[in-house]
């Protein structure tokens, strides 16, 4: 049956930055498709609460891993521990991200660097650590969380836009390097979803009105609407999809 192509039973999925928001929604979707999901955050308390939320939703196979995705030593150690104690990582979702809003002429250099460290350095660090285990096995799925701003600029978030353009091209570069080893590397580009990173927009009536006009579907995305894309890219259904960015944006990137 075609539905078996989407079955993730027996697979292990590490989702970074998954104590809330997009990461938690994707972790739930992968778990509901049968995967053992490993939630990640720097906060053990946040992970405890997130794991409880997933269990209440019926996801049974949940593990947690506390580490900072920007700390290469901590990442290498955590990945080795997961591989040894939980099982081989079949699926990696690089989701951890940071946002800060300021006019570009006022943006402090240290904050610019911090955005890039979280949004660009971390996917490189975690992706490299996981790929080093996937390569000998000659299989694996890596999903990088991009954005509509991988394609489109927006005022007050130029460092974020810069980082998401970079992660789009990192996705393609990872494909060029690792596809030969049976690793599929793709991206998901969310449009506007009601998350903590978008709090300023969620609280803005003018943005609600703008989005209703700008997005062909005329609304915000619901977090659960990202799960299908993640399951597809993590599963055998996408076996010949590589280096692709799947935009889940209500049509925003399709129109002017």
């Amino acid at each position: 049956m075609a539905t078996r192509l989407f079955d993730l039973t027996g697979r292990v999925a590490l989702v970074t930055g998954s104590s809330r928001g997009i990461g938690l929604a994707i972790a739930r979707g992968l778990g509901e498709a049968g995967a053992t999901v490993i939630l990640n955050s720097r906060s053990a308390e946040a992970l405890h609460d997130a794991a409880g939320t997933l269990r209440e939703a019926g996801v049974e196979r949940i593990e947690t891993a506390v580490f900072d995705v920007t700390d290469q030593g901590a990442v290498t150690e955590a990945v080795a521990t997961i591989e040894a104690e939980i099982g081989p990582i079949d699926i990696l979702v690089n989701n951890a991200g940071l946002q800060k809003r300021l006019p570009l002429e006022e943006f402090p250099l240290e904050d610019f660097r911090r955005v890039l460290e979280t949004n660009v350095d971390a996917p490189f660090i975690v992706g490299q650590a996981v790929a080093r285990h996937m390569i000998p096995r000659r299989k694996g799925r890596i999903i990088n969380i991009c954005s509509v701003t991988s394609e489109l600029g927006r005022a007050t978030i130029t460092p974020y836009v810069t980082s998401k353009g970079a992660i789009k091209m990192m996705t393609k570069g990872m494909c060029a390097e690792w596809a030969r080893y049976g690793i599929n590397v793709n991206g998901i580009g969310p449009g506007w979803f009601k998350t903590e990173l978008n709090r300023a927009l969620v609280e803005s009536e003018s943005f609600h009105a703008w989005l209703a006009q700008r997005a062909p579907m005329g609304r915000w995305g619901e977090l659960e609407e990202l799960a299908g894309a993640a399951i597809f890219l993590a599963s055998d259904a996408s076996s010949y999809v590589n280096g692709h960015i799947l935009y889940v944006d209500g049509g925003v990137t399709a129109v002017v």
Side-chain angles (χ1 to χ4, degrees), residues 102-247:
L102 275 176
L104 184 57
E105 66 273 18
E106 300 174 12
F107 218 100
L109 177 60
E110 59 269 26
D111 288 343
F112 180 88
R113 287 173 171 164
R114 185 164 170 251
V115 170
L116 265 63
E117 180 183 40
T118 302
N119 296 0
V120 181
D121 291 9
F124 166 77
I125 292 169
V126 182
Q128 184 184 67
V130 172
R132 285 172 173 166
H133 291 270
M134 290 179 170
I135 286 170
R137 295 193 288 264
R138 305 192 73 81
K139 64 177 181 178
R141 295 286 196 277
I142 297 176
I143 303 170
N144 294 322
I145 302 304
C146 302
S147 167
V148 291
T149 62
S150 296
E151 302 291 345
L152 306 171
R154 185 170 174 81
T156 75
I157 59 167
T158 294
Y160 183 82
V161 168
T162 301
S163 72
K164 290 304 180 178
I167 195 64
K168 177 187 78 169
M169 295 311 300
M170 186 186 297
T171 300
K172 295 177 183 294
M174 287 177 168
C175 165
E177 298 263 2
W178 296 337
R180 72 194 70 181
Y181 302 116
I183 300 173
N184 294 63
V185 188
N186 294 290
I188 295 175
W192 279 280
F193 290 77
K194 293 180 180 180
T195 66
E196 186 66 24
L197 288 184
N198 283 330
R199 175 179 291 192
L201 302 181
V202 172
E203 296 174 351
S204 169
E205 291 184 8
S206 63
F207 185 82
H208 283 262
W210 176 85
L211 184 62
Q213 295 296 318
R214 176 65 179 83
M217 293 186 71
R219 63 173 176 84
W220 290 83
E222 301 293 336
L223 285 173
E224 57 266 25
E225 291 180 300
L226 291 166
I231 293 167
F232 168 64
L233 293 177
S235 72
D236 291 342
S238 61
S239 61
Y240 200 57
V241 179
N242 220 329
H244 177 70
I245 313 300
L246 174 54
Y247 289 98

Side-chain angles (χ1 to χ4, degrees), residues 25-40:
I26 286 176
R28 175 175 175 173
L30 298 180
E32 289 176 342
T36 295
V37 292
I38 304 170
L39 304 179
N40 157 258

Side-chain angles (χ1 to χ4, degrees), residues 13-91:
L14 169 62
V15 185
T16 68
S18 49
S19 63
R20 61 184 180 182
I22 287 174
L24 185 59
I26 286 176
R28 175 175 175 173
L30 298 180
E32 289 176 342
T36 295
V37 292
I38 304 170
L39 304 179
N40 157 258
S41 171
R42 291 178 295 180
S43 168
E45 181 179 359
L47 289 180
H48 178 270
D49 293 343
T53 297
L54 293 191
R55 290 190 180 98
E56 289 176 3
V59 179
E60 298 178 356
R61 292 174 289 278
I62 306 166
E63 303 286 346
T64 59
V66 180
F67 62 89
D68 182 345
V69 292
T70 67
D71 183 334
Q72 188 173 37
V75 168
T76 300
E77 181 179 353
V79 169
T81 298
I82 291 168
E83 290 268 335
E85 297 182 2
I86 300 174
I89 298 171
D90 302 291
I91 302 156

